[in-house]
Amino acid sequence: MAQPDSQEIGDATTAVHSQPDSKTRRYDRQLRLWAASGQSALESSRTLVISASATSTSILKNLVLPGIGHFTLLDADAVSPADAGNNFFLNGYSSIGKNKAEEAVPLLTELNESVDGKAEVKPIDEVLQTDEGRNWVKSFSLVIAHNLSQDTLDTLSKLLWDGLGNPPLIVVRSAGFLADFFIQFHEQCIIEPHSETFPSLRLTRPFPALAEWANSTDYDKLDPTEHAHIPFPIILVKATEKWKAEHDGQLPKVYAEKQAFKAAIRDLQKKMDEENFDEAEAQAWRISGEVPVPSEIKSLFALTPLVPASSSSSTNGSSVSEQSNAAFHTLLQTLKLFVESPEGPGCLPLTSTLPDMHTDTESYVRLQRMYKEQAGKEAALFKKILKANFPDTPVDDGMVDLFVKNTHHVNVLRGKRWGAWEEDKSAVASSLESDPRETATHLALSALSNLQSKGIDVTADALRADILTRLPPNTELPEEMTNAVGELERSPTADVPNTAAFLGGMIAQEAIKMITKQYVPVKGYCVVDLVESWTGVVGA
Amino acid sequence: MNGNSTSSDWDGRYFHVDQILDKPGPRTDPSFLAGDGVKDFLRNQCKILVIGAGGLGCEILANLALSGFKDIHVIDMDTIDISNLNRQFLFRQKDVGKPKATVAAEFIMNRVPGVQVTPYYGKIQDKDEDYYMQFNLVVCGLDSVEARRWINATLVNMVDPENPESLKPLIDGGTEGFKGQARVILPTVSSCYECSLDMLNKPTAFPICTIANTPRLPEHCIEWASVLEWPRVFGDKKLDTDDPEHIGWLFNHALKRAKEFKIEGVTWSLTQGVVKNIIPAIASTNAIIAASCCNEAFKIATSSAAYLNNYFMLIGTDGVYSYTFEHEQRKDCPVCGGESLDISIKKDWTVERLIEMLVEKQDIQIKKPSLSTPTKQIYLQAPPQLEQATRPNLEKKVSELVEDGGDITVTAASLPFNLSLRIKYI
Ligand SMILES: [Zn+2]
């Protein structure tokens, strides 16, 4: 008899036949989230972190542990007694006087030997002054900056905004219990958002094999066991056909109709405990939710690809992220053609994943095969359309498969330049009305950064005066502003350990989302208040 | 400056934290003793207990140490596994197999001079009320519901209204993938862990008949191998989910069954995930939740700012979404509520059926409950003689043993509390 090990199962995903290697075991708990594709994206990423503060090293810790490819930590300053007291990635007292980045990097790389880390002992302002330095900054896949002075931040954010292929920039600001952060990016194409909703099962427009199964099912000819095991999609396809025949081809729309539709399913039950019919009734909502193309996907069809700014100084051709975004747009256009194609189903491609349901093994496996076969056919049509219409655009086959699998949930985010939102004072003012605590905290942090850059004493009055310049004349500051301003006056330069650790986790989550293009990063300014323990978003 | 660089505070060491401690903010309670008073309490008097030295625990220990807590105790019963290293950042490859509590404590004391971390490698249940009474605060970073219920009930039971010192704030954190939550529990005063039991995700349980007769998913085949096939082949030999040979055996048998039923998708990783009930875990989410817990511990210990009232929930999968709200105490909470829980059952329900319900009901979830009324024992799980003596009652109708509106007291060996049920018949 053959050993189970040598059995073939016919699916590449079952190829893991023995205990995984030590790398897979080490990363097991995260591979269950972002899989090998996410891991390999992390491993080929290169992150630059500017300033070796407690917040910065906390962020890096959470990127080194999951295994990013490379990081550079840039800081020209020496470790102060204060740094030695609040930064876990320094050697306490004995680090005082030595360079911050050089002290921190070995303690960070020690966390994961597969990560390459480098300390860069240079002032960022000096780096940004030369072409060589600017190109070096642009060569990373992600740049993160904590509490930079306002002028430096302006220069850096403009440099990185100028060119579609430049790395995204995460700007982090914090003082005491308050903080905010912002991701500057042109475009983020998300191929695997890990949505928790199931894609359409194609119940209202059944593909031939599914329709055939439904048609050939005669409830009266089945024995009680068979009757209790008809899979719910078959019941719903039949019920939908019947309803449409009796209602001029329309689906149940209003509440009373939906209730009547459910009642019709209930009436089919031969015994009270037929769970498959209960399930069909519970899943009946799918019928009215099935549209050929969800509106979020339709709006992606209308997106025009970004055109490089006229002043783009990108000299070394298009970057990896630019190429992958271009490929994504090609796939979106192909998807539009697929939906319009007379050869196609007139809707998004079928996904082969089925939810579990009350039925017997044979029926489930049969249904699963049916969905898989049809999904395969539609994927082949998708590829045919891609090849016919975009013969010169090379798209990686794995990316095409992933895209086709996720067409119900793919997403494109368009970002803003750092600071662009604040240029529209009336938008800021209306945000201050609708989201007073978030907007107040954000404005107070901007004011703090401005005062510190100019060497002005941080007092509540100075902060308020600065904030007023950021709003239309005669704007009244809400009570929430007193809270934000008071906290910043109390602790204007405090990088406290808990806030640093909190931000370390938040920024690393966002960095991972940006790098893997899985899950959805935050748009706008994410504001954090650790007095009342809330987060919020403004300026999205 | 002090010449001894590893054991004493140096000037400026607490520059960052002291900005918070030297003066109040707009939302700080007037009772805050800014300056030396609060610093002395935090650094010389406050004693804090950390339960769990895993994903959250490692982060919690580091944050507390940097924040200025100097007398920290940590309990953990686990040893270090290679799959911990992607997030439990106080452990290295060379530490695999060693107790988490001990390694974590040593690491913190080396990195943050002057902090005393006292480890205990064992179970929280090994310790009694006297032990827990010595702490000012308890921070909990556990992945076990059972252990959390135990410490929650223990701390609630310890509260003596005559003695304010007996009220130990419990700060609890938990994560799953990109999601997590942190909460502050003031035993008897605010909603406790037991009060919110129904907020837990229902664990996926596969019906035995599906596993035995109509498998559809690869998970069903794996459950078949572990729940039915393993005991059939090995009898009483215990399945060790950490033993690769055992997992290998399950994997091979699950695969064979999957092939027989033409089911796809049985992998080693899925087998391990199902039998160990693995929850995805990453460093960044643990960092956020641990920081939130420590921030609350710091604010409670110092009164430097208002603390969380009382629940913070974070979802990082789609943008950054968080929700801060006050979870309400349940009057019929078996731990902190005092009132009995009303249960309506059919008149023909047997005791066995009632027990089944107690095990499954989201807000009760008591494994192996023993039942009694003020006057008689209905069913006791232990000792064996009493179990045997009360076993015939399992078949009896509850209505034959308890009158309408009567009370049943439910106890379980694993939980230090009694649940009082008021039975109504429908
Ligand atoms: Zn309670």
PDB file of all heavy atoms in Angstrom, chain A residues 30 88 93 356-357 361 490 495 513 520 529-533 535, chain B residues 5 20 23 27 86 111 215-216 295-296 299 304 316 319 322 324:
ATOM      1  N   GLN A  30       2.699  34.727  11.239  1.00  0.00           N
ATOM      2  CA  GLN A  30       2.435  35.830  10.322  1.00  0.00           C
ATOM      3  C   GLN A  30       2.133  35.333   8.912  1.00  0.00           C
ATOM      4  O   GLN A  30       1.364  35.975   8.188  1.00  0.00           O
ATOM      5  CB  GLN A  30       3.609  36.817  10.305  1.00  0.00           C
ATOM      6  CG  GLN A  30       4.891  36.293   9.694  1.00  0.00           C
ATOM      7  CD  GLN A  30       6.114  37.083  10.137  1.00  0.00           C
ATOM      8  OE1 GLN A  30       6.277  37.376  11.321  1.00  0.00           O
ATOM      9  NE2 GLN A  30       6.969  37.450   9.200  1.00  0.00           N
ATOM     10  N   PHE A  88      14.668  51.465  24.260  1.00  0.00           N
ATOM     11  CA  PHE A  88      15.019  50.090  24.600  1.00  0.00           C
ATOM     12  C   PHE A  88      16.177  49.573  23.745  1.00  0.00           C
ATOM     13  O   PHE A  88      16.879  48.658  24.139  1.00  0.00           O
ATOM     14  CB  PHE A  88      13.790  49.192  24.398  1.00  0.00           C
ATOM     15  CG  PHE A  88      13.885  47.858  25.085  1.00  0.00           C
ATOM     16  CD1 PHE A  88      13.661  47.756  26.452  1.00  0.00           C
ATOM     17  CD2 PHE A  88      14.200  46.710  24.369  1.00  0.00           C
ATOM     18  CE1 PHE A  88      13.750  46.529  27.098  1.00  0.00           C
ATOM     19  CE2 PHE A  88      14.283  45.470  25.008  1.00  0.00           C
ATOM     20  CZ  PHE A  88      14.053  45.385  26.380  1.00  0.00           C
ATOM     21  N   TYR A  93      23.009  53.416  30.062  1.00  0.00           N
ATOM     22  CA  TYR A  93      24.003  54.426  30.416  1.00  0.00           C
ATOM     23  C   TYR A  93      25.257  54.363  29.547  1.00  0.00           C
ATOM     24  O   TYR A  93      25.821  55.378  29.173  1.00  0.00           O
ATOM     25  CB  TYR A  93      24.361  54.253  31.888  1.00  0.00           C
ATOM     26  CG  TYR A  93      25.314  55.267  32.424  1.00  0.00           C
ATOM     27  CD1 TYR A  93      24.844  56.501  32.875  1.00  0.00           C
ATOM     28  CD2 TYR A  93      26.682  55.007  32.491  1.00  0.00           C
ATOM     29  CE1 TYR A  93      25.720  57.448  33.375  1.00  0.00           C
ATOM     30  CE2 TYR A  93      27.572  55.939  32.995  1.00  0.00           C
ATOM     31  CZ  TYR A  93      27.084  57.155  33.436  1.00  0.00           C
ATOM     32  OH  TYR A  93      27.936  58.095  33.929  1.00  0.00           O
ATOM     33  N   ASP A 356     -18.605  26.750   3.635  1.00  0.00           N
ATOM     34  CA  ASP A 356     -19.091  25.436   4.043  1.00  0.00           C
ATOM     35  C   ASP A 356     -20.617  25.488   4.104  1.00  0.00           C
ATOM     36  O   ASP A 356     -21.202  26.565   4.246  1.00  0.00           O
ATOM     37  CB  ASP A 356     -18.528  25.071   5.426  1.00  0.00           C
ATOM     38  CG  ASP A 356     -18.796  23.598   5.772  1.00  0.00           C
ATOM     39  OD1 ASP A 356     -19.043  22.795   4.848  1.00  0.00           O
ATOM     40  OD2 ASP A 356     -18.750  23.262   6.970  1.00  0.00           O
ATOM     41  N   MET A 357     -21.257  24.348   3.949  1.00  0.00           N
ATOM     42  CA  MET A 357     -22.718  24.338   3.963  1.00  0.00           C
ATOM     43  C   MET A 357     -23.217  22.962   4.389  1.00  0.00           C
ATOM     44  O   MET A 357     -22.471  21.989   4.361  1.00  0.00           O
ATOM     45  CB  MET A 357     -23.252  24.708   2.583  1.00  0.00           C
ATOM     46  CG  MET A 357     -22.773  23.781   1.484  1.00  0.00           C
ATOM     47  SD  MET A 357     -23.122  24.427  -0.162  1.00  0.00           S
ATOM     48  CE  MET A 357     -21.963  25.777  -0.309  1.00  0.00           C
ATOM     49  N   THR A 361     -20.897  14.923   1.550  1.00  0.00           N
ATOM     50  CA  THR A 361     -19.586  15.100   0.943  1.00  0.00           C
ATOM     51  C   THR A 361     -19.671  15.149  -0.579  1.00  0.00           C
ATOM     52  O   THR A 361     -19.101  16.030  -1.213  1.00  0.00           O
ATOM     53  CB  THR A 361     -18.658  13.938   1.354  1.00  0.00           C
ATOM     54  OG1 THR A 361     -18.675  13.846   2.773  1.00  0.00           O
ATOM     55  CG2 THR A 361     -17.250  14.163   0.874  1.00  0.00           C
ATOM     56  N   ARG A 490       2.412  70.899  28.209  1.00  0.00           N
ATOM     57  CA  ARG A 490       2.933  70.115  29.335  1.00  0.00           C
ATOM     58  C   ARG A 490       4.167  69.300  28.937  1.00  0.00           C
ATOM     59  O   ARG A 490       5.133  69.207  29.692  1.00  0.00           O
ATOM     60  CB  ARG A 490       1.824  69.167  29.795  1.00  0.00           C
ATOM     61  CG  ARG A 490       2.206  68.179  30.889  1.00  0.00           C
ATOM     62  CD  ARG A 490       1.138  67.086  30.966  1.00  0.00           C
ATOM     63  NE  ARG A 490       1.157  66.333  32.191  1.00  0.00           N
ATOM     64  CZ  ARG A 490       0.309  65.330  32.453  1.00  0.00           C
ATOM     65  NH1 ARG A 490      -0.620  64.994  31.568  1.00  0.00           N
ATOM     66  NH2 ARG A 490       0.386  64.662  33.582  1.00  0.00           N
ATOM     67  N   ASP A 495       9.170  62.009  24.308  1.00  0.00           N
ATOM     68  CA  ASP A 495       8.967  60.803  23.504  1.00  0.00           C
ATOM     69  C   ASP A 495       8.791  59.678  24.533  1.00  0.00           C
ATOM     70  O   ASP A 495       9.715  58.917  24.806  1.00  0.00           O
ATOM     71  CB  ASP A 495      10.197  60.574  22.613  1.00  0.00           C
ATOM     72  CG  ASP A 495       9.983  59.480  21.564  1.00  0.00           C
ATOM     73  OD1 ASP A 495       8.846  59.010  21.415  1.00  0.00           O
ATOM     74  OD2 ASP A 495      10.977  59.100  20.906  1.00  0.00           O
ATOM     75  N   LYS A 513       1.426  46.946   5.438  1.00  0.00           N
ATOM     76  CA  LYS A 513       0.345  47.010   4.458  1.00  0.00           C
ATOM     77  C   LYS A 513       0.825  47.661   3.161  1.00  0.00           C
ATOM     78  O   LYS A 513       0.492  47.213   2.063  1.00  0.00           O
ATOM     79  CB  LYS A 513      -0.845  47.782   5.040  1.00  0.00           C
ATOM     80  CG  LYS A 513      -1.524  47.052   6.197  1.00  0.00           C
ATOM     81  CD  LYS A 513      -2.850  47.697   6.552  1.00  0.00           C
ATOM     82  CE  LYS A 513      -2.782  48.521   7.799  1.00  0.00           C
ATOM     83  NZ  LYS A 513      -4.054  49.198   8.117  1.00  0.00           N
ATOM     84  N   VAL A 520      -5.589  47.181   3.870  1.00  0.00           N
ATOM     85  CA  VAL A 520      -5.786  48.546   3.378  1.00  0.00           C
ATOM     86  C   VAL A 520      -5.150  49.561   4.334  1.00  0.00           C
ATOM     87  O   VAL A 520      -5.548  49.643   5.493  1.00  0.00           O
ATOM     88  CB  VAL A 520      -7.301  48.845   3.234  1.00  0.00           C
ATOM     89  CG1 VAL A 520      -7.513  50.205   2.594  1.00  0.00           C
ATOM     90  CG2 VAL A 520      -7.985  47.746   2.430  1.00  0.00           C
ATOM     91  N   ASP A 529      -4.737  59.887  20.691  1.00  0.00           N
ATOM     92  CA  ASP A 529      -4.770  60.530  22.007  1.00  0.00           C
ATOM     93  C   ASP A 529      -4.725  59.430  23.054  1.00  0.00           C
ATOM     94  O   ASP A 529      -5.667  58.651  23.190  1.00  0.00           O
ATOM     95  CB  ASP A 529      -6.060  61.355  22.154  1.00  0.00           C
ATOM     96  CG  ASP A 529      -6.195  61.977  23.550  1.00  0.00           C
ATOM     97  OD1 ASP A 529      -6.022  61.260  24.554  1.00  0.00           O
ATOM     98  OD2 ASP A 529      -6.499  63.170  23.648  1.00  0.00           O
ATOM     99  N   LEU A 530      -3.613  59.354  23.763  1.00  0.00           N
ATOM    100  CA  LEU A 530      -3.474  58.272  24.740  1.00  0.00           C
ATOM    101  C   LEU A 530      -3.881  58.699  26.151  1.00  0.00           C
ATOM    102  O   LEU A 530      -3.681  57.955  27.104  1.00  0.00           O
ATOM    103  CB  LEU A 530      -2.057  57.690  24.713  1.00  0.00           C
ATOM    104  CG  LEU A 530      -1.754  56.871  23.437  1.00  0.00           C
ATOM    105  CD1 LEU A 530      -0.348  56.310  23.478  1.00  0.00           C
ATOM    106  CD2 LEU A 530      -2.764  55.756  23.223  1.00  0.00           C
ATOM    107  N   VAL A 531      -4.464  59.897  26.294  1.00  0.00           N
ATOM    108  CA  VAL A 531      -5.110  60.236  27.568  1.00  0.00           C
ATOM    109  C   VAL A 531      -6.443  59.501  27.631  1.00  0.00           C
ATOM    110  O   VAL A 531      -6.709  58.737  28.559  1.00  0.00           O
ATOM    111  CB  VAL A 531      -5.327  61.753  27.716  1.00  0.00           C
ATOM    112  CG1 VAL A 531      -6.146  62.052  28.968  1.00  0.00           C
ATOM    113  CG2 VAL A 531      -3.988  62.481  27.782  1.00  0.00           C
ATOM    114  N   GLU A 532      -7.257  59.716  26.590  1.00  0.00           N
ATOM    115  CA  GLU A 532      -8.556  59.034  26.558  1.00  0.00           C
ATOM    116  C   GLU A 532      -8.511  57.741  25.755  1.00  0.00           C
ATOM    117  O   GLU A 532      -9.533  57.071  25.601  1.00  0.00           O
ATOM    118  CB  GLU A 532      -9.612  59.977  25.977  1.00  0.00           C
ATOM    119  CG  GLU A 532      -9.964  61.117  26.917  1.00  0.00           C
ATOM    120  CD  GLU A 532     -10.724  62.226  26.197  1.00  0.00           C
ATOM    121  OE1 GLU A 532     -11.704  61.919  25.510  1.00  0.00           O
ATOM    122  OE2 GLU A 532     -10.314  63.383  26.307  1.00  0.00           O
ATOM    123  N   SER A 533      -7.350  57.430  25.205  1.00  0.00           N
ATOM    124  CA  SER A 533      -7.157  56.206  24.424  1.00  0.00           C
ATOM    125  C   SER A 533      -8.114  56.096  23.246  1.00  0.00           C
ATOM    126  O   SER A 533      -8.949  55.213  23.188  1.00  0.00           O
ATOM    127  CB  SER A 533      -7.276  54.969  25.315  1.00  0.00           C
ATOM    128  OG  SER A 533      -6.301  54.996  26.313  1.00  0.00           O
ATOM    129  N   THR A 535      -8.234  56.747  18.727  1.00  0.00           N
ATOM    130  CA  THR A 535      -7.586  57.130  17.480  1.00  0.00           C
ATOM    131  C   THR A 535      -8.675  57.622  16.534  1.00  0.00           C
ATOM    132  O   THR A 535      -9.835  57.259  16.690  1.00  0.00           O
ATOM    133  CB  THR A 535      -6.859  55.945  16.794  1.00  0.00           C
ATOM    134  OG1 THR A 535      -7.832  55.054  16.248  1.00  0.00           O
ATOM    135  CG2 THR A 535      -5.948  55.196  17.756  1.00  0.00           C
TER     136      THR A 535
ATOM    137  N   SER B   5      27.388  52.562  36.289  1.00  0.00           N
ATOM    138  CA  SER B   5      26.556  52.837  35.136  1.00  0.00           C
ATOM    139  C   SER B   5      25.423  51.842  34.953  1.00  0.00           C
ATOM    140  O   SER B   5      24.584  52.014  34.109  1.00  0.00           O
ATOM    141  CB  SER B   5      27.410  52.825  33.871  1.00  0.00           C
ATOM    142  OG  SER B   5      27.996  51.550  33.729  1.00  0.00           O
ATOM    143  N   ILE B  20       5.726  64.493  31.894  1.00  0.00           N
ATOM    144  CA  ILE B  20       4.356  64.110  32.236  1.00  0.00           C
ATOM    145  C   ILE B  20       4.149  64.173  33.750  1.00  0.00           C
ATOM    146  O   ILE B  20       3.074  64.532  34.218  1.00  0.00           O
ATOM    147  CB  ILE B  20       4.077  62.649  31.768  1.00  0.00           C
ATOM    148  CG1 ILE B  20       4.287  62.491  30.266  1.00  0.00           C
ATOM    149  CG2 ILE B  20       2.717  62.164  32.242  1.00  0.00           C
ATOM    150  CD1 ILE B  20       3.174  62.975  29.409  1.00  0.00           C
ATOM    151  N   LYS B  23       4.099  68.023  35.854  1.00  0.00           N
ATOM    152  CA  LYS B  23       2.931  68.913  35.948  1.00  0.00           C
ATOM    153  C   LYS B  23       1.694  68.274  35.323  1.00  0.00           C
ATOM    154  O   LYS B  23       1.808  67.394  34.469  1.00  0.00           O
ATOM    155  CB  LYS B  23       3.227  70.290  35.349  1.00  0.00           C
ATOM    156  CG  LYS B  23       3.445  70.350  33.875  1.00  0.00           C
ATOM    157  CD  LYS B  23       3.729  71.817  33.513  1.00  0.00           C
ATOM    158  CE  LYS B  23       3.715  72.026  32.015  1.00  0.00           C
ATOM    159  NZ  LYS B  23       4.092  73.363  31.613  1.00  0.00           N
ATOM    160  N   ARG B  27      -6.612  67.419  31.431  1.00  0.00           N
ATOM    161  CA  ARG B  27      -7.559  66.381  31.822  1.00  0.00           C
ATOM    162  C   ARG B  27      -7.043  65.552  33.007  1.00  0.00           C
ATOM    163  O   ARG B  27      -7.458  64.421  33.204  1.00  0.00           O
ATOM    164  CB  ARG B  27      -7.850  65.473  30.616  1.00  0.00           C
ATOM    165  CG  ARG B  27      -8.663  66.159  29.528  1.00  0.00           C
ATOM    166  CD  ARG B  27      -8.684  65.357  28.237  1.00  0.00           C
ATOM    167  NE  ARG B  27      -7.425  65.456  27.516  1.00  0.00           N
ATOM    168  CZ  ARG B  27      -7.170  64.860  26.358  1.00  0.00           C
ATOM    169  NH1 ARG B  27      -8.076  64.072  25.809  1.00  0.00           N
ATOM    170  NH2 ARG B  27      -6.007  65.008  25.749  1.00  0.00           N
ATOM    171  N   ASN B  86       9.033  35.401  15.930  1.00  0.00           N
ATOM    172  CA  ASN B  86       8.643  36.475  15.001  1.00  0.00           C
ATOM    173  C   ASN B  86       8.025  37.660  15.734  1.00  0.00           C
ATOM    174  O   ASN B  86       7.649  38.640  15.114  1.00  0.00           O
ATOM    175  CB  ASN B  86       7.686  35.952  13.920  1.00  0.00           C
ATOM    176  CG  ASN B  86       6.244  35.878  14.414  1.00  0.00           C
ATOM    177  OD1 ASN B  86       5.995  35.542  15.572  1.00  0.00           O
ATOM    178  ND2 ASN B  86       5.294  36.191  13.552  1.00  0.00           N
ATOM    179  N   ARG B 111      18.981  44.934  30.087  1.00  0.00           N
ATOM    180  CA  ARG B 111      18.833  46.077  29.184  1.00  0.00           C
ATOM    181  C   ARG B 111      18.445  47.349  29.925  1.00  0.00           C
ATOM    182  O   ARG B 111      18.865  48.444  29.557  1.00  0.00           O
ATOM    183  CB  ARG B 111      17.796  45.728  28.100  1.00  0.00           C
ATOM    184  CG  ARG B 111      17.609  46.745  26.997  1.00  0.00           C
ATOM    185  CD  ARG B 111      18.852  46.996  26.171  1.00  0.00           C
ATOM    186  NE  ARG B 111      19.334  45.886  25.384  1.00  0.00           N
ATOM    187  CZ  ARG B 111      18.864  45.511  24.198  1.00  0.00           C
ATOM    188  NH1 ARG B 111      17.850  46.150  23.669  1.00  0.00           N
ATOM    189  NH2 ARG B 111      19.401  44.504  23.548  1.00  0.00           N
ATOM    190  N   PRO B 215     -17.710  14.725   5.732  1.00  0.00           N
ATOM    191  CA  PRO B 215     -16.669  15.759   5.689  1.00  0.00           C
ATOM    192  C   PRO B 215     -16.751  16.526   4.367  1.00  0.00           C
ATOM    193  O   PRO B 215     -17.050  15.933   3.333  1.00  0.00           O
ATOM    194  CB  PRO B 215     -15.373  14.955   5.768  1.00  0.00           C
ATOM    195  CG  PRO B 215     -15.710  13.623   5.206  1.00  0.00           C
ATOM    196  CD  PRO B 215     -17.141  13.367   5.608  1.00  0.00           C
ATOM    197  N   ARG B 216     -16.544  17.820   4.443  1.00  0.00           N
ATOM    198  CA  ARG B 216     -16.544  18.628   3.222  1.00  0.00           C
ATOM    199  C   ARG B 216     -15.268  19.453   3.103  1.00  0.00           C
ATOM    200  O   ARG B 216     -14.742  19.687   2.035  1.00  0.00           O
ATOM    201  CB  ARG B 216     -17.760  19.572   3.224  1.00  0.00           C
ATOM    202  CG  ARG B 216     -19.094  18.855   3.189  1.00  0.00           C
ATOM    203  CD  ARG B 216     -20.253  19.809   3.369  1.00  0.00           C
ATOM    204  NE  ARG B 216     -20.245  20.484   4.650  1.00  0.00           N
ATOM    205  CZ  ARG B 216     -20.816  19.997   5.758  1.00  0.00           C
ATOM    206  NH1 ARG B 216     -21.459  18.838   5.735  1.00  0.00           N
ATOM    207  NH2 ARG B 216     -20.749  20.657   6.880  1.00  0.00           N
ATOM    208  N   ASN B 295       0.240  51.954  29.078  1.00  0.00           N
ATOM    209  CA  ASN B 295      -0.142  53.356  29.210  1.00  0.00           C
ATOM    210  C   ASN B 295      -1.218  53.503  30.283  1.00  0.00           C
ATOM    211  O   ASN B 295      -1.161  54.415  31.114  1.00  0.00           O
ATOM    212  CB  ASN B 295      -0.646  53.853  27.851  1.00  0.00           C
ATOM    213  CG  ASN B 295      -0.923  55.341  27.832  1.00  0.00           C
ATOM    214  OD1 ASN B 295      -0.097  56.133  28.282  1.00  0.00           O
ATOM    215  ND2 ASN B 295      -2.090  55.718  27.338  1.00  0.00           N
ATOM    216  N   GLU B 296      -2.177  52.589  30.288  1.00  0.00           N
ATOM    217  CA  GLU B 296      -3.221  52.639  31.313  1.00  0.00           C
ATOM    218  C   GLU B 296      -2.629  52.344  32.695  1.00  0.00           C
ATOM    219  O   GLU B 296      -2.965  52.996  33.679  1.00  0.00           O
ATOM    220  CB  GLU B 296      -4.360  51.662  31.000  1.00  0.00           C
ATOM    221  CG  GLU B 296      -5.091  51.932  29.678  1.00  0.00           C
ATOM    222  CD  GLU B 296      -5.488  53.380  29.465  1.00  0.00           C
ATOM    223  OE1 GLU B 296      -5.831  54.060  30.459  1.00  0.00           O
ATOM    224  OE2 GLU B 296      -5.437  53.851  28.314  1.00  0.00           O
ATOM    225  N   LYS B 299      -0.892  55.435  33.853  1.00  0.00           N
ATOM    226  CA  LYS B 299      -1.806  56.513  34.251  1.00  0.00           C
ATOM    227  C   LYS B 299      -2.494  56.186  35.581  1.00  0.00           C
ATOM    228  O   LYS B 299      -2.692  57.070  36.416  1.00  0.00           O
ATOM    229  CB  LYS B 299      -2.839  56.766  33.145  1.00  0.00           C
ATOM    230  CG  LYS B 299      -2.221  57.403  31.893  1.00  0.00           C
ATOM    231  CD  LYS B 299      -3.270  57.787  30.847  1.00  0.00           C
ATOM    232  CE  LYS B 299      -3.923  56.586  30.239  1.00  0.00           C
ATOM    233  NZ  LYS B 299      -4.917  56.956  29.190  1.00  0.00           N
ATOM    234  N   SER B 304      -1.480  60.610  36.458  1.00  0.00           N
ATOM    235  CA  SER B 304      -1.015  61.723  35.631  1.00  0.00           C
ATOM    236  C   SER B 304      -2.002  62.103  34.547  1.00  0.00           C
ATOM    237  O   SER B 304      -1.923  63.192  33.975  1.00  0.00           O
ATOM    238  CB  SER B 304       0.333  61.364  34.993  1.00  0.00           C
ATOM    239  OG  SER B 304       0.211  60.156  34.272  1.00  0.00           O
ATOM    240  N   GLY B 316      -7.099  46.882  12.435  1.00  0.00           N
ATOM    241  CA  GLY B 316      -6.143  47.487  11.502  1.00  0.00           C
ATOM    242  C   GLY B 316      -6.168  46.888  10.109  1.00  0.00           C
ATOM    243  O   GLY B 316      -5.282  47.166   9.317  1.00  0.00           O
ATOM    244  N   GLY B 319      -7.695  50.274   6.846  1.00  0.00           N
ATOM    245  CA  GLY B 319      -7.361  51.547   7.455  1.00  0.00           C
ATOM    246  C   GLY B 319      -7.065  51.342   8.931  1.00  0.00           C
ATOM    247  O   GLY B 319      -6.701  50.240   9.359  1.00  0.00           O
ATOM    248  N   SER B 322     -10.626  52.335  15.311  1.00  0.00           N
ATOM    249  CA  SER B 322     -10.652  51.947  16.716  1.00  0.00           C
ATOM    250  C   SER B 322     -11.930  52.449  17.350  1.00  0.00           C
ATOM    251  O   SER B 322     -12.579  53.369  16.837  1.00  0.00           O
ATOM    252  CB  SER B 322      -9.436  52.478  17.462  1.00  0.00           C
ATOM    253  OG  SER B 322      -9.606  53.845  17.754  1.00  0.00           O
ATOM    254  N   THR B 324     -13.503  53.251  21.269  1.00  0.00           N
ATOM    255  CA  THR B 324     -13.297  53.322  22.713  1.00  0.00           C
ATOM    256  C   THR B 324     -14.663  53.484  23.358  1.00  0.00           C
ATOM    257  O   THR B 324     -15.413  54.383  23.000  1.00  0.00           O
ATOM    258  CB  THR B 324     -12.398  54.526  23.066  1.00  0.00           C
ATOM    259  OG1 THR B 324     -11.199  54.416  22.305  1.00  0.00           O
ATOM    260  CG2 THR B 324     -12.054  54.529  24.546  1.00  0.00           C
TER     261      THR B 324
END
